[in-house]
PDB file of all heavy atoms in Angstrom:
ATOM      1  N   LEU A 176      54.159 -21.722-189.347  1.00 97.00           N
ATOM      2  CA  LEU A 176      54.589 -21.368-190.763  1.00 97.00           C
ATOM      3  C   LEU A 176      56.028 -20.931-190.735  1.00 97.00           C
ATOM      4  O   LEU A 176      56.822 -21.367-191.529  1.00 97.00           O
ATOM      5  CB  LEU A 176      53.694 -20.269-191.297  1.00 97.00           C
ATOM      6  CG  LEU A 176      53.989 -19.852-192.722  1.00 97.00           C
ATOM      7  CD1 LEU A 176      53.533 -20.936-193.734  1.00 97.00           C
ATOM      8  CD2 LEU A 176      53.310 -18.520-193.190  1.00 97.00           C
ATOM      9  N   SER A 195      54.389 -24.039-204.223  1.00 97.00           N
ATOM     10  CA  SER A 195      53.614 -22.724-204.461  1.00 97.00           C
ATOM     11  C   SER A 195      53.015 -22.327-203.205  1.00 97.00           C
ATOM     12  O   SER A 195      52.719 -23.171-202.327  1.00 97.00           O
ATOM     13  CB  SER A 195      52.603 -22.930-205.535  1.00 97.00           C
ATOM     14  OG  SER A 195      53.104 -23.221-206.790  1.00 97.00           O
ATOM     15  N   VAL A 196      52.753 -21.069-203.056  1.00 98.00           N
ATOM     16  CA  VAL A 196      52.037 -20.475-201.884  1.00 98.00           C
ATOM     17  C   VAL A 196      50.852 -19.581-202.285  1.00 98.00           C
ATOM     18  O   VAL A 196      51.007 -18.868-203.376  1.00 98.00           O
ATOM     19  CB  VAL A 196      52.882 -19.734-200.880  1.00 98.00           C
ATOM     20  CG1 VAL A 196      53.995 -20.673-200.330  1.00 98.00           C
ATOM     21  CG2 VAL A 196      53.596 -18.543-201.534  1.00 98.00           C
ATOM     22  N   LEU A 197      49.832 -19.664-201.622  1.00 98.00           N
ATOM     23  CA  LEU A 197      48.690 -18.734-201.740  1.00 98.00           C
ATOM     24  C   LEU A 197      48.578 -17.811-200.572  1.00 98.00           C
ATOM     25  O   LEU A 197      48.751 -18.267-199.501  1.00 98.00           O
ATOM     26  CB  LEU A 197      47.412 -19.477-201.890  1.00 98.00           C
ATOM     27  CG  LEU A 197      47.273 -20.778-202.722  1.00 98.00           C
ATOM     28  CD1 LEU A 197      45.870 -21.305-202.704  1.00 98.00           C
ATOM     29  CD2 LEU A 197      47.697 -20.379-204.205  1.00 98.00           C
ATOM     30  N   ALA A 198      48.575 -16.526-200.885  1.00 98.00           N
ATOM     31  CA  ALA A 198      48.321 -15.620-199.765  1.00 98.00           C
ATOM     32  C   ALA A 198      46.885 -15.099-199.928  1.00 98.00           C
ATOM     33  O   ALA A 198      46.497 -14.630-201.063  1.00 98.00           O
ATOM     34  CB  ALA A 198      49.224 -14.402-199.853  1.00 98.00           C
ATOM     35  N   ILE A 199      46.104 -15.252-198.886  1.00 98.00           N
ATOM     36  CA  ILE A 199      44.623 -14.959-198.971  1.00 98.00           C
ATOM     37  C   ILE A 199      44.221 -13.949-198.028  1.00 98.00           C
ATOM     38  O   ILE A 199      44.662 -14.008-196.742  1.00 98.00           O
ATOM     39  CB  ILE A 199      43.785 -16.295-198.757  1.00 98.00           C
ATOM     40  CG1 ILE A 199      44.266 -17.473-199.652  1.00 98.00           C
ATOM     41  CG2 ILE A 199      42.263 -16.051-198.976  1.00 98.00           C
ATOM     42  CD1 ILE A 199      43.604 -18.746-199.368  1.00 98.00           C
ATOM     43  N   PHE A 223      35.283 -20.305-193.209  1.00 97.00           N
ATOM     44  CA  PHE A 223      36.226 -20.158-194.193  1.00 97.00           C
ATOM     45  C   PHE A 223      37.359 -21.188-194.087  1.00 97.00           C
ATOM     46  O   PHE A 223      37.762 -21.875-194.974  1.00 97.00           O
ATOM     47  CB  PHE A 223      36.790 -18.753-194.246  1.00 97.00           C
ATOM     48  CG  PHE A 223      37.951 -18.522-195.144  1.00 97.00           C
ATOM     49  CD1 PHE A 223      37.758 -18.299-196.504  1.00 97.00           C
ATOM     50  CD2 PHE A 223      39.224 -18.594-194.670  1.00 97.00           C
ATOM     51  CE1 PHE A 223      38.811 -18.241-197.389  1.00 97.00           C
ATOM     52  CE2 PHE A 223      40.333 -18.431-195.566  1.00 97.00           C
ATOM     53  CZ  PHE A 223      40.165 -18.245-196.943  1.00 97.00           C
ATOM     54  N   VAL A 227      38.705 -24.163-196.540  1.00 97.00           N
ATOM     55  CA  VAL A 227      40.135 -24.324-196.943  1.00 97.00           C
ATOM     56  C   VAL A 227      40.588 -25.715-196.733  1.00 97.00           C
ATOM     57  O   VAL A 227      41.249 -26.321-197.499  1.00 97.00           O
ATOM     58  CB  VAL A 227      41.028 -23.272-196.180  1.00 97.00           C
ATOM     59  CG1 VAL A 227      42.499 -23.560-196.307  1.00 97.00           C
ATOM     60  CG2 VAL A 227      40.802 -21.891-196.711  1.00 97.00           C
ATOM     61  N   ILE A 231      42.180 -28.662-199.576  1.00 94.00           N
ATOM     62  CA  ILE A 231      43.637 -28.949-199.757  1.00 94.00           C
ATOM     63  C   ILE A 231      43.890 -30.451-199.482  1.00 94.00           C
ATOM     64  O   ILE A 231      43.026 -31.201-198.894  1.00 94.00           O
ATOM     65  CB  ILE A 231      44.441 -28.046-198.873  1.00 94.00           C
ATOM     66  CG1 ILE A 231      44.147 -28.267-197.354  1.00 94.00           C
ATOM     67  CG2 ILE A 231      44.310 -26.553-199.210  1.00 94.00           C
ATOM     68  CD1 ILE A 231      45.065 -27.406-196.373  1.00 94.00           C
ATOM     69  N   ASP A 235      49.558 -30.327-197.825  1.00 95.00           N
ATOM     70  CA  ASP A 235      49.458 -28.869-197.867  1.00 95.00           C
ATOM     71  C   ASP A 235      49.459 -28.347-196.476  1.00 95.00           C
ATOM     72  O   ASP A 235      49.004 -28.969-195.519  1.00 95.00           O
ATOM     73  CB  ASP A 235      48.235 -28.446-198.731  1.00 95.00           C
ATOM     74  CG  ASP A 235      48.326 -29.040-200.158  1.00 95.00           C
ATOM     75  OD1 ASP A 235      49.377 -29.180-200.645  1.00 95.00           O
ATOM     76  OD2 ASP A 235      47.119 -29.199-200.673  1.00 95.00           O
ATOM     77  N   LEU A 236      49.800 -27.125-196.320  1.00 96.00           N
ATOM     78  CA  LEU A 236      49.859 -26.468-195.038  1.00 96.00           C
ATOM     79  C   LEU A 236      49.024 -25.228-194.982  1.00 96.00           C
ATOM     80  O   LEU A 236      49.303 -24.301-195.859  1.00 96.00           O
ATOM     81  CB  LEU A 236      51.368 -26.235-194.793  1.00 96.00           C
ATOM     82  CG  LEU A 236      51.844 -25.392-193.565  1.00 96.00           C
ATOM     83  CD1 LEU A 236      51.359 -26.173-192.294  1.00 96.00           C
ATOM     84  CD2 LEU A 236      53.251 -25.055-193.508  1.00 96.00           C
ATOM     85  N   ALA A 237      47.971 -25.249-194.195  1.00 97.00           N
ATOM     86  CA  ALA A 237      47.160 -23.960-194.155  1.00 97.00           C
ATOM     87  C   ALA A 237      47.322 -23.308-192.873  1.00 97.00           C
ATOM     88  O   ALA A 237      47.162 -23.885-191.793  1.00 97.00           O
ATOM     89  CB  ALA A 237      45.630 -24.366-194.311  1.00 97.00           C
ATOM     90  N   CYS A 238      47.644 -22.035-192.904  1.00 98.00           N
ATOM     91  CA  CYS A 238      47.888 -21.208-191.730  1.00 98.00           C
ATOM     92  C   CYS A 238      47.041 -19.945-191.665  1.00 98.00           C
ATOM     93  O   CYS A 238      46.762 -19.397-192.814  1.00 98.00           O
ATOM     94  CB  CYS A 238      49.366 -20.730-191.648  1.00 98.00           C
ATOM     95  SG  CYS A 238      50.562 -22.114-191.928  1.00 98.00           S
ATOM     96  N   PHE A 245      45.449 -15.377-194.479  1.00 98.00           N
ATOM     97  CA  PHE A 245      45.846 -16.792-194.451  1.00 98.00           C
ATOM     98  C   PHE A 245      46.983 -17.026-195.459  1.00 98.00           C
ATOM     99  O   PHE A 245      47.058 -16.309-196.466  1.00 98.00           O
ATOM    100  CB  PHE A 245      44.617 -17.637-194.822  1.00 98.00           C
ATOM    101  CG  PHE A 245      43.496 -17.480-193.842  1.00 98.00           C
ATOM    102  CD1 PHE A 245      42.526 -16.343-194.057  1.00 98.00           C
ATOM    103  CD2 PHE A 245      43.225 -18.334-192.828  1.00 98.00           C
ATOM    104  CE1 PHE A 245      41.515 -16.284-193.166  1.00 98.00           C
ATOM    105  CE2 PHE A 245      42.227 -18.221-191.971  1.00 98.00           C
ATOM    106  CZ  PHE A 245      41.291 -17.112-192.115  1.00 98.00           C
ATOM    107  N   VAL A 246      47.684 -18.072-195.244  1.00 98.00           N
ATOM    108  CA  VAL A 246      48.666 -18.604-196.234  1.00 98.00           C
ATOM    109  C   VAL A 246      48.476 -20.067-196.400  1.00 98.00           C
ATOM    110  O   VAL A 246      48.269 -20.811-195.476  1.00 98.00           O
ATOM    111  CB  VAL A 246      50.090 -18.267-195.781  1.00 98.00           C
ATOM    112  CG1 VAL A 246      51.112 -19.104-196.589  1.00 98.00           C
ATOM    113  CG2 VAL A 246      50.374 -16.797-196.003  1.00 98.00           C
ATOM    114  N   ILE A 247      48.427 -20.576-197.660  1.00 98.00           N
ATOM    115  CA  ILE A 247      48.398 -21.998-197.859  1.00 98.00           C
ATOM    116  C   ILE A 247      49.718 -22.327-198.648  1.00 98.00           C
ATOM    117  O   ILE A 247      50.031 -21.720-199.745  1.00 98.00           O
ATOM    118  CB  ILE A 247      47.198 -22.435-198.710  1.00 98.00           C
ATOM    119  CG1 ILE A 247      45.842 -21.970-198.099  1.00 98.00           C
ATOM    120  CG2 ILE A 247      47.233 -23.932-198.898  1.00 98.00           C
ATOM    121  CD1 ILE A 247      44.651 -22.256-198.878  1.00 98.00           C
ATOM    122  N   VAL A 248      50.511 -23.325-198.125  1.00 98.00           N
ATOM    123  CA  VAL A 248      51.696 -23.779-198.836  1.00 98.00           C
ATOM    124  C   VAL A 248      51.288 -25.100-199.571  1.00 98.00           C
ATOM    125  O   VAL A 248      50.815 -26.015-198.906  1.00 98.00           O
ATOM    126  CB  VAL A 248      52.807 -24.059-197.873  1.00 98.00           C
ATOM    127  CG1 VAL A 248      54.097 -24.401-198.481  1.00 98.00           C
ATOM    128  CG2 VAL A 248      53.031 -22.744-196.914  1.00 98.00           C
ATOM    129  N   LEU A 249      51.646 -25.145-200.828  1.00 97.00           N
ATOM    130  CA  LEU A 249      51.299 -26.261-201.550  1.00 97.00           C
ATOM    131  C   LEU A 249      52.588 -26.882-202.252  1.00 97.00           C
ATOM    132  O   LEU A 249      53.052 -26.503-203.261  1.00 97.00           O
ATOM    133  CB  LEU A 249      50.452 -25.846-202.802  1.00 97.00           C
ATOM    134  CG  LEU A 249      49.118 -25.056-202.436  1.00 97.00           C
ATOM    135  CD1 LEU A 249      48.563 -24.416-203.748  1.00 97.00           C
ATOM    136  CD2 LEU A 249      48.118 -25.937-201.848  1.00 97.00           C
ATOM    137  N   LEU A 264      38.919 -22.268-205.167  1.00 97.00           N
ATOM    138  CA  LEU A 264      38.636 -21.825-203.717  1.00 97.00           C
ATOM    139  C   LEU A 264      37.925 -20.490-203.878  1.00 97.00           C
ATOM    140  O   LEU A 264      36.936 -20.262-203.186  1.00 97.00           O
ATOM    141  CB  LEU A 264      39.881 -21.782-203.007  1.00 97.00           C
ATOM    142  CG  LEU A 264      39.736 -21.444-201.485  1.00 97.00           C
ATOM    143  CD1 LEU A 264      38.948 -22.517-200.807  1.00 97.00           C
ATOM    144  CD2 LEU A 264      41.095 -21.321-200.796  1.00 97.00           C
TER     145      LEU A 264
END
Side-chain angles (χ1 to χ4, degrees):
L176 181 72
S195 296
V196 297
L197 313 182
I199 309 174
F223 172 78
V227 166
I231 62 178
D235 301 331
L236 173 63
C238 307
F245 300 82
V246 162
I247 306 176
V248 183
L249 305 164
L264 182 64

